[in-house]
Amino acid sequence: MKALKSTLIVSVALLFAISCKKNNSPKNNANVSTDVAADMAASAVAANSFGFVSMADNISANAQATSSAGKQSLNSTSSNAAHQACGTTIADSISFSGNNNSVTFDAFYKFSRTLNCNNNNPDNIVTAVTYHGSFDGPRLSSSASGTSSITIAGLSNSATNFTINGSYNRQGSFNSKVGDKTSGSSVVNISVTNVTLTKSPRVITGGTANISISGTVPAGSFSFSGTLVFNGNNQATLTVGTSVYVINLLTGSYTKK
């Protein structure tokens, strides 16, 4: 009877230990894999899914035109469509659609641009953006909307590069085409720091970003965070947890290290 009691105690202790181990195990982010999170992050950055790179290119093209117009006729009454006076805000918009590298996209951007000057010369442009659109790619499809607040500096003629700081945010629905092929809602927030673009041609050559990816799927909620380092040559290195991906900034495709 004593031996039986001892065995019972050991069994209960073992069961309790297993239960504690199970309860203390890390959550699995509702079965959303790190690769799917990387797909969401890559699409929010890539040019062909109306990501940050697409918006940065548009803003830098406008900054380039404004800088050139400012050099020629700042604060004049010129009819030049690119001209903007110091301290003023101009609203415009752009829509685009097409197919690029197996990704079909359709998007609309609305911009509000404020030109700040130094000694009556263009210095930086603060751009507020609202947008919406959809894309369908090999790994992920999504319908989303978002906002962005970006400051682009380096408008002076002596500056060889533009410098971008600010935020880019996206939220909407997604459908993953890989793994468990889960679907749900997602929110991607990107905070960029000192992203540099050459003026001719306009190519991102450096800078960093912090990225958060969260949302819900039928199995529950998920949340990831990561960092992005812009490497030049239309590439960036994304780190999510312990996983590292090299992203093509034009296509959104990546190689996992």
Side-chain angles (χ1 to χ4, degrees), residues 85-109:
C86 289
T88 63
T89 299
I90 292 179
D92 64 1
S93 62
I94 184 174
S95 60
F96 53 93
S97 60
N99 186 291
N100 190 350
N101 291 286
S102 301
V103 177
T104 301
F105 55 89
D106 186 354
F108 173 81
Y109 282 84

Side-chain angles (χ1 to χ4, degrees), residues 55-64 111 113 127 129 150 152:
M55 185 196 65
D57 182 72
N58 181 276
I59 289 175
S60 60
N62 176 267
Q64 202 163 32
F111 300 89
R113 314 177 194 266
T127 303
V129 185
I150 292 291
I152 183 166

Side-chain angles (χ1 to χ4, degrees), residues 39 48-49 99-104 135-141 175-179 181 251-253:
D39 288 332
N48 66 342
S49 48
N99 186 291
N100 190 350
N101 291 286
S102 301
V103 177
T104 301
F135 69 89
D136 187 5
R139 295 179 60 88
L140 191 76
S141 64
N175 291 282
S176 175
K177 300 180 180 181
V178 298
K181 299 182 179 180
T251 68
S253 61

Side-chain angles (χ1 to χ4, degrees), residues 50 133-135 141-145 170-175:
F50 61 94
S134 62
F135 69 89
S141 64
S142 176
S143 294
S145 62
R170 159 180 297 191
Q171 56 276 325
S173 61
F174 76 92
N175 291 282

Side-chain angles (χ1 to χ4, degrees), residues 45-93:
V45 173
N48 66 342
S49 48
F50 61 94
F52 166 75
V53 171
S54 174
M55 185 196 65
D57 182 72
N58 181 276
I59 289 175
S60 60
N62 176 267
Q64 202 163 32
T66 300
S67 180
S68 175
K71 176 185 175 184
Q72 298 168 16
S73 56
L74 188 67
N75 292 330
S76 75
T77 56
S78 167
S79 60
N80 186 339
H83 172 74
Q84 183 174 351
C86 289
T88 63
T89 299
I90 292 179
D92 64 1
S93 62

